[in-house]
Amino acid sequence: MLAAVACILVATWLHPDTPLSNLEPGFPEGVSPVAAILMIVAIAPWAYVGFDNVPQAAEEFDFSPTKAFGLIVLAIVSAAGIYVAMVVATAVAQPWPQMVADAPAWGTAVGLERLFGPVGLVLLAIAVVMGVSTGLNGFYVSASRLLFAMGRAKVLPPFFARVNGAGAPGNAVWFAAGLCLVAPLFGREALLWVVDMTSVGVTVAYTYTCLAAYRLWEWSGSDQGDPDTRSTARKALSGLGVLTGVLFLGLLLLPGSPAQLSTPSWVALGIWVALGVVFYLVRLPASRQVDDEEMRHLVLGEHAGYRSSQPRRPGVGGSDQPE
């Protein structure tokens, strides 16, 4: 993927028919620069949704959380570079107002084919297939792992908490695979509604995570909590994450916002929330039977530092699971 994207960027940049003037104007006519930027910023959380695969699969890691954090940062920086490279390659392929006026199904493919013919499409296909493959691999691991943890914590039916002979959550994997196979049958437009809806879900998750971190960290001069949890910089950074998440939610949900969800996206979001409420109410009696300490272990596995006298058997990632 990296090699293909690099070739595309260098080739388009050096091509004699791709002057920098193709990047002008900087913003669409009749649209304020702020509104144009906010329309892209609002969907940015969805573009970076894959990086939560790392903490969701953390129980499987045999290295420190510090290294995992470094992997997340490196992955985000790499992805940002790839996004910028492909945007630039698309924009210099031809004057972008002309491309928008032609309303191509896929502007990047049209531009690269015009410049390089079949070779350009092959490079693009390699980049796309590799990019999709990395996403699918990561999402299969994290989605099945998340379903497994929720089933183990009795938030979902125990069906999802079963592991197969290889120590993997087989039922959760097949469930995720089934959804992936069915979803494309609804067509491109329906998938776009799901993407918009997912932007809201991702933003809520990121905001909630930052809020939890803000509550866990203490100011450096505080005498509250464990000394290892006192850091003004990290508490301030967590608070900034909360404010950023609220801003993203406002862009997606507030009436009049340039990135407000469309009506079909609102319907998809409503159905998704309703399904979540139903699952929550159905599983609530079972969840209430688990105390807080065991719940932390069931959700987080070995990372919860849980110790119990209950007999246990091996689970996913080498963690223990109650009989």
Side-chain angles (χ1 to χ4, degrees):
M1 178 177 63
L2 293 174
V5 170
C7 290
I8 290 172
L9 178 63
V10 173
T12 53
W13 195 262
L14 298 180
H15 196 282
D17 295 335
T18 57
L20 292 180
S21 59
N22 286 351
L23 298 174
E24 299 175 353
F27 299 96
E29 295 183 4
V31 179
S32 72
V34 174
I37 292 173
L38 290 180
M39 290 178 67
I40 302 301
V41 169
I43 63 172
W46 176 84
Y48 290 93
V49 65
F51 303 105
D52 57 355
N53 290 337
V54 178
Q56 286 173 1
E59 189 177 348
E60 313 247 357
F61 298 161
D62 57 358
F63 49 80
S64 69
T66 302
K67 183 176 181 179
F69 177 78
L71 290 174
I72 295 175
V73 174
L74 180 60
I76 291 176
V77 172
S78 301
I82 292 174
Y83 284 139
V84 171
M86 293 307 301
V87 168
V88 171
T90 303
V92 299
Q94 61 178 306
W96 68 263
Q98 175 187 337
M99 180 184 297
V100 173
D102 294 340
W106 190 6
T108 303
V110 172
L112 292 179
E113 184 179 26
R114 186 181 70 84
L115 293 175
F116 307 110
V119 175
L121 293 180
V122 169
L123 284 174
L124 182 60
I126 292 174
V128 170
V129 170
M130 295 299 101
V132 171
S133 297
T134 61
L136 288 176
N137 288 339
F139 283 126
Y140 267 122
V141 172
S142 63
S144 60
R145 194 63 185 74
L146 184 61
L147 290 170
F148 168 77
M150 295 175 71
R152 186 173 61 177
K154 301 182 180 180
V155 177
L156 292 178
F159 170 84
F160 294 100
R162 296 172 187 162
V163 294
N164 57 25
N171 292 340
V173 171
W174 283 113
F175 181 81
L179 289 181
C180 291
L181 290 173
V182 171
L185 300 179
F186 291 94
R188 174 183 172 86
E189 194 65 28
L191 291 178
L192 292 177
W193 301 338
V194 174
V195 167
D196 292 340
M197 175 196 73
T198 304
S199 296
V200 177
V202 172
T203 304
V204 170
Y206 284 173
T207 304
Y208 185 86
T209 302
C210 291
L211 182 60
Y214 182 83
R215 293 196 61 184
L216 289 173
W217 287 108
E218 299 290 347
W219 301 108
S220 297
S222 173
D223 57 356
Q224 303 294 322
D226 189 280
D228 292 336
T229 64
R230 298 171 192 167
S231 173
T232 296
R234 294 181 179 181
K235 190 172 183 69
L237 188 62
S238 302
L240 180 61
V242 174
L243 295 177
T244 304
V246 172
L247 173 63
F248 280 134
L249 280 176
L251 290 173
L252 291 167
L253 302 180
L254 291 180
S257 167
Q260 182 185 4
L261 296 183
S262 63
T263 299
S265 298
W266 273 108
V267 173
L269 180 61
I271 293 174
W272 193 250
V273 172
L275 288 173
V277 171
V278 170
F279 267 100
Y280 175 78
L281 294 177
V282 169
R283 301 301 304 170
L284 185 59
S287 298
R288 285 179 171 173
Q289 297 176 6
V290 183
D291 59 43
D292 292 342
E293 186 179 7
E294 185 176 2
M295 180 64 77
R296 282 193 294 271
H297 172 76
L298 293 175
V299 173
L300 301 174
E302 294 176 347
H303 294 272
Y306 178 79
R307 295 292 182 270
S308 172
S309 59
Q310 300 180 45
R312 300 185 178 277
R313 61 183 176 85
V316 174
S319 64
D320 291 337
Q321 180 179 343
E323 290 284 2

